[in-house]
Amino acid sequence: MALFIVFEGGEGCGKSTQTRFLSQRLSRAGFHTVLTREPGGTKLGERVRRCLKQNDGTRISPLAELLLIEAARAQLVSEVIRPALDAGQIVICDRFTPSTLVYQGYGRGLDMNTLRAINDAATDGLSADLVVLLDIPVEAGLGRKKGKDKDRFESESLDFHRRVRRGYLEMARTDPKKWLVVDGRLPREAIERKIWERVSVLLRRESNG
Ligand code: TMP
């Protein structure tokens, strides 16, 4: 059963843990599941990821940042996501096109219509069946990163991260059928349960045709 599930959220929201959990649970239930991430997920994409996250003082303009992300995305869609969906597999992706709308749009101030057009070109119009947003107040999320070296995105201002969060919540509000918003401060098991409930509905709907 082809299904495309995307996880989104600000820094420190707990996406990686939850994507791993869901992927394991689906695999145990007998579904062929592919877990990947953006930027990254391919050899090229992981190289781009290192360039983007590295906090070594290299200046990257907002447009250059966007195009690097979209290059990695085009590679990931053509090399991994599309073939898996065509083979009837479930794909879970840690971030996808919504990240661009909130980070490069709400965050960096790039034009939203331009972002939508480039997202569309890079993905050939692919969009998620379900977007899980792990919502967490900016200070709480960044607080979880304390003591670790901050990457280029984590080093942005609180204001930048607040715009990102606002962007996510606005997008989720306009498309509640596709978006599931879960409070990222809940205990891990409670978050897992809420996500599994929603995914089960989707699985039932898909298997009924
Ligand atoms: P993460 O996987 O640890 O969340 O790191 C990925 C970083 O890349 C995160 O800070 C958000 C950023 N990013 C964008 O700015 N735009 C995008 O389209 C994507 C996919 C990620």
Side-chain angles (χ1 to χ4, degrees), residues 93-131:
C93 198
D94 186 335
R95 298 193 181 280
F96 198 57
T97 47
S99 278
T100 309
L101 297 180
V102 297
Y103 279 83
Q104 280 63 53
Y106 285 80
R108 302 268 190 239
L110 292 180
D111 175 66
M112 295 301 263
N113 286 327
T114 306
L115 297 179
R116 286 195 195 94
I118 303 183
N119 275 346
D120 245 35
T123 62
D124 199 18
L126 179 67
S127 72
D129 296 297
L130 170 66
V131 183

Side-chain angles (χ1 to χ4, degrees), residues 11 15 39 49 53 69 73 95 99-100 103-104 153:
E11 312 304 323
K15 280 181 293 96
R49 179 184 181 89
K53 292 191 80 149
I69 289 166
R73 174 167 295 145
R95 298 193 181 280
S99 278
T100 309
Y103 279 83
Q104 280 63 53
F153 293 101

Side-chain angles (χ1 to χ4, degrees), residues 28-159:
R28 275 203 308 274
F31 295 100
H32 198 128
T33 308
V34 174
L35 172 59
T36 188
R37 67 173 179 182
E38 279 208 322
T42 63
K43 203 165 174 194
L44 173 70
E46 292 295 326
R47 274 198 221 146
V48 170
R49 179 184 181 89
R50 280 195 293 281
C51 287
L52 286 168
K53 292 191 80 149
Q54 217 167 39
N55 208 355
D56 62 355
T58 307
R59 287 183 47 214
I60 304 180
S61 78
L63 185 59
E65 178 179 272
L66 168 69
L67 295 174
L68 284 167
I69 289 166
E70 298 289 358
R73 174 167 295 145
Q75 188 67 30
L76 181 67
V77 169
S78 68
E79 191 178 319
V80 177
I81 300 179
R82 198 43 103 179
L85 292 174
D86 286 348
Q89 298 170 358
I90 298 181
V91 178
I92 301 171
C93 198
D94 186 335
R95 298 193 181 280
F96 198 57
T97 47
S99 278
T100 309
L101 297 180
V102 297
Y103 279 83
Q104 280 63 53
Y106 285 80
R108 302 268 190 239
L110 292 180
D111 175 66
M112 295 301 263
N113 286 327
T114 306
L115 297 179
R116 286 195 195 94
I118 303 183
N119 275 346
D120 245 35
T123 62
D124 199 18
L126 179 67
S127 72
D129 296 297
L130 170 66
V131 183
V132 177
L133 171 60
L134 297 182
D135 176 55
I136 186 167
V138 165
E139 289 84 349
L142 288 172
R144 290 178 174 178
K145 303 267 172 178
K146 267 211 183 102
K148 297 180 191 151
D149 285 344
K150 284 193 177 144
D151 69 29
R152 213 172 52 82
F153 293 101
E154 289 159 2
S155 309
E156 284 296 336
S157 66
L158 277 181
D159 244 32

Side-chain angles (χ1 to χ4, degrees), residues 165-204:
R165 184 179 185 212
R166 180 164 57 80
Y168 273 134
L169 291 172
E170 281 182 18
M171 285 177 68
R173 213 173 302 127
T174 56
D175 198 358
K177 277 204 186 118
K178 190 176 273 193
W179 287 67
L180 169 70
V181 184
V182 183
D183 186 340
R185 289 166 302 178
L186 290 172
R188 207 196 64 209
E189 296 75 17
I191 298 178
E192 288 172 0
R193 209 176 316 117
K194 282 175 186 287
I195 295 171
W196 184 249
E197 270 169 24
R198 180 69 171 257
V199 170
S200 306
V201 172
L202 215 60
L203 291 172
R204 271 199 300 277

